[in-house]
Coordinates of all heavy atoms in Angstrom, one line a residue:
D1 N 8.4 0.1 1.4 CA 8.5 -1.2 2.1 C 7.7 -1.2 3.4 O 7.1 -2.2 3.8 CB 10.0 -1.5 2.4 CG 10.7 -1.9 1.1 OD1 10.1 -2.4 0.1 OD2 12.0 -1.8 1.1
T2 N 7.8 -0.1 4.1 CA 7.0 0.0 5.4 C 5.5 0.0 5.1 O 4.8 -0.7 5.8 CB 7.4 1.3 6.1 OG1 8.8 1.2 6.4 CG2 6.6 1.5 7.4
A3 N 5.1 0.7 4.1 CA 3.7 0.7 3.7 C 3.2 -0.7 3.4 O 2.1 -1.2 3.8 CB 3.4 1.6 2.5
R4 N 4.0 -1.5 2.6 CA 3.7 -2.9 2.3 C 3.6 -3.7 3.6 O 2.7 -4.6 3.7 CB 4.7 -3.5 1.3 CG 4.4 -3.1 -0.1 CD 5.3 -3.9 -1.0 NE 5.6 -3.1 -2.2 CZ 6.6 -2.3 -2.4 NH1 7.6 -2.1 -1.5 NH2 6.8 -1.6 -3.6
A5 N 4.5 -3.6 4.5 CA 4.5 -4.3 5.7 C 3.3 -4.0 6.6 O 2.7 -4.9 7.1 CB 5.8 -4.0 6.5
I6 N 2.9 -2.8 6.6 CA 1.7 -2.4 7.3 C 0.4 -3.0 6.6 O -0.5 -3.5 7.3 CB 1.5 -0.9 7.4 CG1 2.7 -0.3 8.3 CG2 0.2 -0.4 7.9 CD1 2.8 1.2 8.3
A7 N 0.4 -3.0 5.3 CA -0.7 -3.5 4.5 C -0.8 -5.0 4.8 O -1.9 -5.5 4.8 CB -0.5 -3.3 3.0
N8 N 0.3 -5.7 5.0 CA 0.3 -7.1 5.3 C -0.5 -7.5 6.6 O -0.8 -8.6 6.8 CB 1.7 -7.7 5.4 CG 2.1 -8.2 4.0 OD1 1.4 -8.9 3.3 ND2 3.4 -8.0 3.7
L9 N -0.7 -6.5 7.5 CA -1.4 -6.7 8.7 C -2.9 -6.7 8.6 O -3.6 -6.9 9.5 CB -0.9 -5.6 9.7 CG 0.6 -5.6 10.1 CD1 0.9 -4.4 11.0 CD2 1.0 -6.9 10.7
G10 N -3.4 -6.4 7.4 CA -4.8 -6.4 7.1 C -5.5 -5.1 7.5 O -6.7 -5.1 7.7
V11 N -4.8 -4.0 7.7 CA -5.4 -2.8 8.1 C -6.0 -2.1 7.0 O -5.8 -2.4 5.8 CB -4.3 -1.9 8.8 CG1 -3.7 -2.5 10.0 CG2 -3.3 -1.4 7.8
D12 N -6.9 -1.1 7.3 CA -7.4 -0.1 6.3 C -6.4 1.0 6.2 O -5.8 1.4 7.2 CB -8.8 0.4 6.8 CG -9.8 -0.7 6.8 OD1 -9.6 -1.8 6.2 OD2 -10.8 -0.4 7.5
M13 N -6.2 1.5 5.0 CA -5.2 2.5 4.7 C -5.7 3.6 3.8 O -6.6 3.4 3.0 CB -3.9 1.9 4.0 CG -3.2 0.8 4.7 SD -1.8 0.1 3.8 CE -0.6 1.4 4.1
I14 N -5.1 4.8 3.9 CA -5.3 5.9 3.0 C -4.0 6.3 2.5 O -3.1 6.6 3.3 CB -6.0 7.1 3.7 CG1 -7.4 6.7 4.3 CG2 -6.1 8.3 2.8 CD1 -8.0 7.7 5.1
I15 N -3.8 6.3 1.2 CA -2.6 6.8 0.6 C -2.9 8.1 -0.1 O -3.7 8.2 -1.0 CB -2.1 5.8 -0.5 CG1 -1.9 4.4 0.0 CG2 -0.8 6.3 -1.2 CD1 -0.8 4.2 1.0
T16 N -2.3 9.2 0.5 CA -2.5 10.5 -0.1 C -1.5 10.8 -1.2 O -0.5 10.1 -1.4 CB -2.3 11.6 1.0 OG1 -1.0 11.6 1.5 CG2 -3.3 11.3 2.2
G17 N -1.8 11.9 -1.9 CA -0.9 12.3 -2.9 C 0.5 12.7 -2.4 O 1.5 12.6 -3.1
E18 N 0.6 13.0 -1.1 CA 1.9 13.4 -0.5 C 2.9 12.2 -0.5 O 4.1 12.4 -0.4 CB 1.6 14.0 0.9 CG 0.9 15.3 0.9 CD 0.5 15.7 2.3 OE1 0.9 15.1 3.3 OE2 -0.2 16.7 2.4
A19 N 2.3 11.0 -0.5 CA 3.2 9.8 -0.4 C 4.1 9.7 -1.7 O 5.2 9.3 -1.6 CB 2.4 8.6 -0.3
K20 N 3.5 10.2 -2.8 CA 4.3 10.2 -4.1 C 4.9 8.8 -4.4 O 6.0 8.7 -4.9 CB 5.3 11.3 -4.1 CG 4.7 12.6 -4.0 CD 5.8 13.7 -4.1 CE 5.1 15.1 -3.9 NZ 5.9 16.2 -3.9
Y21 N 4.1 7.7 -4.2 CA 4.6 6.4 -4.5 C 4.4 6.2 -6.1 O 3.5 6.8 -6.7 CB 3.8 5.3 -3.8 CG 3.9 5.3 -2.3 CD1 2.8 5.1 -1.5 CD2 5.2 5.4 -1.7 CE1 3.0 5.0 -0.1 CE2 5.3 5.4 -0.4 CZ 4.2 5.2 0.4 OH 4.4 5.1 1.8
S22 N 5.3 5.4 -6.6 CA 5.2 5.2 -8.1 C 4.0 4.3 -8.3 O 3.4 3.7 -7.4 CB 6.5 4.4 -8.5 OG 6.4 3.0 -8.0
P23 N 3.5 4.3 -9.6 CA 2.3 3.5 -9.9 C 2.5 2.0 -9.6 O 1.6 1.4 -9.1 CB 2.2 3.7 -11.4 CG 2.7 5.1 -11.7 CD 3.9 5.2 -10.7
D24 N 3.7 1.5 -9.8 CA 4.0 0.1 -9.5 C 3.9 -0.2 -8.0 O 3.4 -1.2 -7.6 CB 5.3 -0.4 -10.0 CG 5.3 -0.5 -11.6 OD1 4.2 -0.7 -12.2 OD2 6.4 -0.5 -12.1
T25 N 4.4 0.8 -7.2 CA 4.3 0.6 -5.8 C 2.9 0.7 -5.3 O 2.5 -0.1 -4.4 CB 5.1 1.8 -5.1 OG1 6.5 1.6 -5.4 CG2 5.0 1.7 -3.6
I26 N 2.1 1.6 -5.8 CA 0.7 1.7 -5.4 C -0.1 0.4 -5.7 O -0.8 -0.1 -4.9 CB 0.0 2.9 -6.1 CG1 0.5 4.2 -5.5 CG2 -1.5 2.9 -6.0 CD1 0.0 4.5 -4.0
K27 N 0.2 -0.1 -6.9 CA -0.5 -1.3 -7.4 C -0.1 -2.5 -6.4 O -1.0 -3.3 -6.0 CB -0.1 -1.7 -8.8 CG -0.7 -0.8 -9.8 CD -0.2 -1.1 -11.2 CE -0.4 0.0 -12.2 NZ 0.2 -0.4 -13.5
S28 N 1.1 -2.5 -6.0 CA 1.6 -3.6 -5.1 C 0.9 -3.5 -3.7 O 0.5 -4.5 -3.1 CB 3.1 -3.5 -5.0 OG 3.6 -4.4 -4.0
I29 N 0.9 -2.2 -3.2 CA 0.2 -2.0 -1.9 C -1.2 -2.4 -2.0 O -1.8 -3.0 -1.1 CB 0.5 -0.6 -1.5 CG1 2.0 -0.4 -1.2 CG2 -0.4 -0.3 -0.2 CD1 2.3 1.1 -0.9
V30 N -1.9 -1.9 -3.1 CA -3.3 -2.3 -3.2 C -3.6 -3.8 -3.3 O -4.5 -4.3 -2.6 CB -3.9 -1.6 -4.5 CG1 -5.3 -2.1 -4.8 CG2 -4.0 -0.1 -4.3
E31 N -2.7 -4.5 -4.0 CA -2.8 -5.9 -4.1 C -2.6 -6.6 -2.7 O -3.3 -7.5 -2.3 CB -1.7 -6.4 -5.1 CG -1.8 -7.9 -5.3 CD -0.8 -8.3 -6.4 OE1 0.3 -7.9 -6.4 OE2 -1.2 -9.1 -7.2
T32 N -1.7 -6.1 -1.9 CA -1.4 -6.6 -0.6 C -2.6 -6.3 0.3 O -3.1 -7.2 1.1 CB -0.2 -6.0 0.0 OG1 0.9 -6.2 -0.8 CG2 0.1 -6.5 1.4
V33 N -3.2 -5.1 0.3 CA -4.3 -4.8 1.1 C -5.5 -5.7 0.8 O -6.2 -6.3 1.6 CB -4.7 -3.3 1.0 CG1 -6.1 -3.0 1.6 CG2 -3.7 -2.4 1.6
Q34 N -5.8 -5.8 -0.5 CA -6.9 -6.7 -1.0 C -6.7 -8.1 -0.6 O -7.6 -8.8 -0.1 CB -7.0 -6.6 -2.5 CG -8.2 -7.2 -3.1 CD -8.0 -8.7 -3.4 OE1 -6.9 -9.2 -3.5 NE2 -9.1 -9.4 -3.6
A35 N -5.5 -8.6 -0.7 CA -5.2 -10.0 -0.3 C -5.4 -10.3 1.2 O -5.7 -11.4 1.6 CB -3.8 -10.4 -0.7
N36 N -5.2 -9.3 2.0 CA -5.3 -9.4 3.4 C -6.7 -8.9 4.0 O -6.8 -8.8 5.2 CB -4.2 -8.7 4.1 CG -2.9 -9.4 3.9 OD1 -2.7 -10.5 4.5 ND2 -2.0 -8.9 3.1
G37 N -7.6 -8.6 3.1 CA -9.0 -8.3 3.5 C -9.2 -6.9 4.0 O -10.2 -6.6 4.6

């Protein structure tokens, strides 16, 4: 949820393997980053 909130700010992000997000979570975060430029 925090990662998605940060993504909504339009920032550039790096998600490492240590985050261990589920595939659905990663897809959601990527979609948010893309939508916010």
Side-chain angles (χ1 to χ4, degrees):
D1 288 338
T2 299
R4 280 189 208 92
I6 293 169
N8 268 318
L9 299 174
V11 301
D12 295 342
M13 299 179 78
I14 298 173
I15 304 291
T16 66
E18 294 173 6
K20 297 182 180 175
Y21 295 138
S22 72
D24 288 338
T25 297
I26 287 291
K27 291 175 198 175
S28 173
I29 293 170
V30 168
E31 185 174 43
T32 301
V33 168
Q34 188 273 343
N36 287 289

